[in-house]
Amino acid sequence: MVKKTAAAPLSVWRPINLDTFLLGAPHYPEHVDESYWDRDAERMKRAGFNAVRMGEFAWHLFEPSENVFDFDLFDRAIAGLGRHGIRTIMCTPTATPPRWLTEAYPEVLRVDGNGRAAVHGSRQHADTASPVYRRHSQRITNAMAEHYRDNPNVIGWQTDNELNTSESRSYSAASRREFQLFVKARYGTIDALNAAWGGNFWATAYDRFEQVVLPHDMAPVFPGPGHVQDYHRFLAFSTARFQHDQVEILRATNPDWFIFHNLGRLDDIDFRGQFSTDLDFAGYDIYPFLYDEFNRNGGVGQAQALHLDICRGFSGNFIVPEQQSGFGSQVAFTTLTPEPGEMRRMAMSSVARGADGLMFFRWRPAHFGAEIYWMGIIDHDDVPRRRYAEASRFAADIKSIESQLLGTHVKMDVGIASADFDNQEAHRTYPMGLPSPQDEAVGLHRYCYERGISAGFIHPEDDLSKLKLLYVPHWLIWKDEWTEKLRAFAEAGGTVVLSARTGSRDENNHVIRTAAPGPSLAALAGVEVEEFGPLAGPDSDGLFSLAGPLGPQGTRTRFAAESARRRYRMKIGNREMAAAYMYELLSVKPGTEVRGTWSSRFAEGQAAVTLRHVGKGRVLYLGSYLTADLLDSLIAEEFEIAGIVPELDGKPEAIELAVRQGSGYRLLFVLNTGDATETVGRLPAGDPLIGAEFVFGSSASLPAYEVLVIRIAA
Ligand code: GAL
């Protein structure tokens, strides 16, 4: 049986609190004839699975009409799987309310920005802020929890399914009322709200909370950033509250159950807030072939690593409740097919980057519905082929390392500040065509990934002591207590790199009334921003990435041509390079060194990058955004000074490296993400736990998509 211990506080270094690596697949017994069931369970057992996830879209079966419950189908399915030693993770089915519910209570439907209500026929059509919908969610959760209270085969729960992935916003009457209550609780008086939102700008002030509206985009132009920020805070609040209703019921019913949520698109969820503290651990659904980064940069490995590293930054190790197995499609798109061996490689990459449990999506593909070509472990014709063989092999791999894997954390030398809801949102309230903190950080993440340097994402409130370098990508909203964390980190020998615009807005999303980066960071970095202005992005022909309703035709072109001509350059040592996105002219305090200067146009000779020695460490301020050139110069030099080196020297491009750190040992994962054999030299002395057959002395020859895991003393 799966044993649970108390969950530790949220931290990127936190392992999950189970003693078993959960391994299996999301399973939909309701999609096939019962005659399949025993064969399914027997095959799962043979593959080495220990769990399935079930029920997330089956509300209409659990409750065929209001307050009439029927658990027979799932009871039989759960018992049958249990006979083969396969346990069940149940889901609350609130992503798909049944038709009787939306017919009787149409007020629970989401409403889009144009006033159009969602309709039955797909999913996530109900508004999680609606009090009426919350009551139904509590009812079904209660009924399911009571029913499964003593069922030994039901070991834990997933709340809902990928909350907010299809849509997070709703402009329903219920949402508007709830938003008014939220801001009333937040501000107390309407004057305080008006001050926070800047009511004296464009006469946006209110007389009473009952007048407060939801911020609509382009109706006819832009709402203020304070208003928008609070709307997204509200969405995160109401999403967490919706989940909390369910968690309270489940915990009160059976405290031995573990509870997680499967994160999807990450919109409007504050992962370091109550949403996560309510859970035992995070679940993160990973479809590496689906991401933009993969399409833009051609690296399926890097795209997967990026998403998992971001996820780990919220709350530490996680499980993957849905791991891409075959190709995936919905009506309007399709992905490529993972090639033979690639499904297992992707699963091992998930483990390398912090998965302490994993389910292959899905046991078999559906024959009907909106995802008939989302392939599974078994094919449509009920024949287990290469994906079944790979899943079985993966299960054997995990069995061989499970005891050494659980309890370890992912090593990180380089941390990128992340997982801050307010900062990601503050950017989005007024983006000006600039990359978000998260998007800009992709460059540094890729730089580390390509070199095999251990890197990831971390919140400044977390334990920074295991890092060598922390990069803060222009966090607009800054709290003074974070400065003290950075100072302590630097004093102990760490390197901090702050980039442009950090600390330039307050909690209300107002631009601060002193020079950026604000008094506490200015003191730490020994620098103040005297002037700032936008520049074109590195690959763009000018400013303004937004086309469309932004004024007279041609404006965009004229701005583009001129801003492409006015590229500003900066110099680090002897190296000169074009800057991107933003220039800041820095005034440098005594004791602070100038590490780089502007070298063109009117800015020539003024400080662009500074360095201050703080204790045993270094604090740098970069008055711009990180470009590839800055990574190759400034960051490369800082890595050298900080002693940040690849986990293996001279690794081939297609090889991904990651390290899981245990006490007194490390597991080094060497993963071939490519379709050709790669030779890896200079392996450290150690015990190859997986892939021993590819090791010859201190080198290994890894065929396409093969994996090596070596245990080394450390
Ligand atoms: C996830 C979702 C699943 C399935 C899968 C493939 O986002 O949780 O239910 O839809 O994607 O599209």
Side-chain angles (χ1 to χ4, degrees):
M1 267 312 278
V2 178
K3 284 246 168 11
K4 180 182 112 164
T5 52
L10 302 186
S11 166
V12 67
W13 314 108
R14 179 180 82 162
I16 75 166
N17 59 339
L18 303 184
D19 69 349
T20 306
F21 189 103
L22 298 168
L23 209 165
H27 184 39
Y28 304 90
E30 70 274 29
H31 290 182
V32 289
D33 186 83
E34 211 165 318
S35 61
Y36 283 60
W37 290 5
D38 204 50
R39 191 163 58 248
D40 282 340
E42 196 277 321
R43 283 171 170 170
M44 288 180 191
K45 172 79 192 156
R46 195 147 33 89
F49 288 7
N50 57 24
V52 293
R53 191 196 67 179
M54 240 190 242
E56 75 272 29
F57 303 124
W59 192 341
H60 67 300
L61 297 172
F62 295 126
E63 191 183 11
S65 58
E66 190 164 356
N67 286 322
V68 175
F69 296 98
D70 179 356
F71 296 103
D72 274 5
L73 184 147
F74 283 91
D75 287 354
R76 287 198 307 280
I78 291 166
L81 288 156
R83 277 194 291 280
H84 292 272
I86 310 292
R87 310 282 175 217
T88 294
I89 300 166
M90 250 307 156
C91 303
T92 58
T94 40
T96 49
R99 181 60 183 128
W100 62 255
L101 197 159
T102 56
E103 184 183 38
Y105 305 95
E107 68 271 31
V108 306
L109 293 169
R110 279 182 196 281
V111 174
D112 73 14
N114 296 318
R116 197 181 67 137
V119 292
H120 195 78
S122 60
R123 62 178 172 180
Q124 295 195 333
H125 41 299
D127 185 344
T128 47
S130 150
V132 175
Y133 194 56
R134 283 178 62 201
R135 276 203 300 281
H136 286 290
S137 150
Q138 288 160 341
R139 256 183 353 87
I140 185 67
T141 306
N142 228 329
M144 291 180 73
E146 279 305 321
H147 184 79
Y148 290 113
R149 175 196 287 272
D150 299 315
N151 187 324
N153 287 318
V154 175
I155 53 175
W157 288 76
Q158 173 183 299
T159 56
D160 200 278
N161 186 78
E162 290 195 356
L163 280 157
N164 295 348
T165 291
S166 313
E167 181 56 70
S168 57
R169 289 160 305 175
S170 175
Y171 300 87
S172 65
S175 265
R176 183 176 155 194
R177 269 194 310 277
E178 291 297 309
F179 181 54
Q180 291 166 348
L181 295 174
F182 172 78
V183 291
K184 191 170 182 183
R186 185 174 171 86
Y187 293 108
T189 67
I190 202 70
D191 287 346
L193 175 139
N194 287 330
W197 291 4
N200 286 347
F201 191 83
W202 287 357
T204 50
Y206 298 91
D207 307 315
R208 306 183 307 280
F209 284 106
E210 295 70 34
Q211 294 175 325
V212 169
V213 296
L214 297 170
H216 287 246
D217 278 344
M218 308 309 291
V221 281
F222 299 101
H227 189 183
V228 177
Q229 181 89 10
D230 272 341
Y231 178 55
H232 288 279
R233 285 175 176 148
F234 160 71
L235 291 175
F237 160 81
S238 53
T239 305
R241 181 178 62 178
F242 181 79
Q243 176 179 260
H244 183 76
D245 292 343
Q246 300 188 353
V247 170
E248 256 190 327
I249 294 165
L250 295 169
R251 295 246 186 260
T253 311
N254 183 344
D256 290 339
W257 283 331
F258 58 84
I259 307 176
F260 66 93
H261 178 68
N262 63 331
L263 308 174
R265 213 166 52 123
L266 313 184
D267 267 9
D268 292 314
I269 296 180
D270 178 0
F271 296 105
R272 287 186 58 82
Q274 187 187 26
F275 190 92
S276 296
T277 52
D278 267 350
L279 302 173
D280 284 288
F281 44 84
Y284 188 62
D285 294 347
I286 184 92
Y287 292 94
F289 280 72
L290 206 54
Y291 301 126
D292 271 8
E293 295 86 354
F294 160 53
N295 295 320
R296 280 204 301 266
N297 305 313
V300 68
Q302 196 251 331
Q304 176 177 359
L306 174 71
H307 284 254
L308 293 173
D309 290 348
I310 290 172
C311 165
R312 201 178 63 249
F314 302 128
S315 55
N317 289 4
F318 47 85
I319 69 164
V320 174
E322 300 179 17
Q323 169 87 43
Q324 178 162 14
S325 50
F327 84 85
S329 85
Q330 282 181 355
V331 177
F333 68 87
T334 181
T335 75
L336 289 172
T337 303
E339 295 183 339
E342 202 168 10
M343 180 188 105
R344 170 175 170 267
R345 193 287 294 163
M346 295 192 298
M348 289 305 278
S349 286
S350 291
V351 173
R353 309 201 93 89
D356 283 343
L358 184 140
M359 314 225 140
F360 292 104
F361 191 79
R362 41 191 287 165
W363 174 244
R364 71 158 56 76
H367 294 257
F368 44 72
E371 289 188 345
I372 49 179
Y373 295 109
W374 208 290
M375 308 307 282
I377 293 298
I378 304 279
D379 286 326
H380 281 104
D381 57 2
D382 199 40
V383 176
R385 296 193 174 89
R386 67 175 164 98
R387 287 188 294 279
Y388 179 80
E390 278 184 46
S392 310
R393 207 174 147 211
F394 175 76
D397 294 330
I398 291 300
K399 203 161 178 213
S400 71
I401 59 170
E402 182 176 10
S403 62
Q404 306 178 68
L405 182 76
L406 295 179
T408 65
H409 65 256
V410 179
K411 180 182 176 218
M412 279 162 46
D413 288 335
V414 177
I416 301 171
S418 177
D420 194 69
F421 181 79
D422 257 4
N423 270 296
Q424 195 67 9
E425 286 309 322
H427 167 81
R428 291 209 284 200
T429 63
Y430 206 115
M432 298 190 287
L434 299 168
S436 72
Q438 193 75 81
D439 286 346
E440 198 231 14
V442 170
L444 177 57
H445 182 270
R446 188 184 318 136
Y447 181 86
C448 295
Y449 178 87
E450 284 169 353
R451 285 159 184 76
I453 289 170
S454 287
F457 296 82
I458 187 169
H459 197 283
E461 278 165 6
D462 207 329
D463 172 10
L464 304 177
S465 66
K466 296 185 178 68
L467 302 175
K468 293 182 174 160
L469 183 144
L470 175 71
Y471 175 59
V472 182
H474 53 96
W475 276 24
L476 297 168
I477 297 179
W478 189 261
K479 294 189 183 160
D480 285 347
E481 67 240 41
W482 299 342
T483 306
E484 291 320 304
K485 295 273 304 186
L486 265 50
R487 185 188 307 281
F489 172 63
E491 277 171 356
T495 301
V496 177
V497 182
L498 302 164
S499 67
R501 306 175 77 213
T502 302
S504 57
R505 296 211 208 133
D506 69 14
E507 209 202 345
N508 291 327
N509 217 357
H510 296 192
V511 178
I512 59 171
R513 287 167 195 274
T514 54
S520 76
L521 280 180
L524 178 69
V527 77
E528 276 185 357
V529 178
E530 295 213 312
E531 176 180 326
F532 60 93
L535 300 175
D539 307 315
S540 106
D541 66 350
L543 295 179
F544 285 163
S545 60
L546 291 174
L550 276 184
Q553 274 289 329
T555 306
R556 189 171 170 266
T557 326
R558 270 205 314 281
F559 271 70
E562 188 56 18
S563 51
R565 197 175 70 77
R566 296 190 188 198
R567 277 205 189 278
Y568 289 25
R569 301 181 69 75
M570 71 163 69
K571 232 175 164 177
I572 309 273
N574 292 328
R575 182 162 172 171
E576 207 187 4
M577 62 199 86
Y581 295 123
M582 187 64 60
Y583 77 86
E584 291 181 344
L585 306 183
L586 308 178
S587 105
V588 181
K589 305 215 168 128
T592 301
E593 295 166 25
V594 175
R595 181 91 167 72
T597 50
W598 294 103
S599 61
S600 69
R601 303 189 72 85
F602 85 104
E604 187 164 356
Q606 305 209 48
V609 189
T610 60
L611 163 67
R612 192 155 165 265
H613 295 273
V614 175
K616 292 189 219 147
R618 300 158 71 81
V619 178
L620 287 95
Y621 187 94
L622 163 64
S624 191
Y625 279 45
L626 268 189
T627 55
D629 283 335
L630 277 167
L631 288 165
D632 274 344
S633 51
L634 181 70
I635 295 297
E637 286 167 25
E638 289 302 323
F639 277 10
E640 203 175 318
I641 296 165
I644 296 168
V645 293
E647 295 299 340
L648 278 184
D649 273 347
K651 77 162 190 66
E653 201 184 312
I655 294 290
E656 173 179 333
L657 301 175
V659 172
R660 291 197 49 161
Q661 177 77 57
S663 55
Y665 67 92
R666 282 179 187 171
L667 303 178
L668 171 66
F669 286 72
V670 184
L671 305 129
N672 187 353
T673 66
D675 56 6
T677 299
E678 299 288 354
T679 302
V680 192
R682 300 192 237 179
L683 290 173
D687 184 13
L689 304 178
I690 295 175
E693 63 273 36
F694 307 120
V695 179
F696 309 95
S698 66
S699 60
S701 181
L702 279 185
Y705 307 123
E706 268 303 343
V707 172
L708 176 63
V709 180
I710 309 181
R711 182 187 159 118
I712 47 186

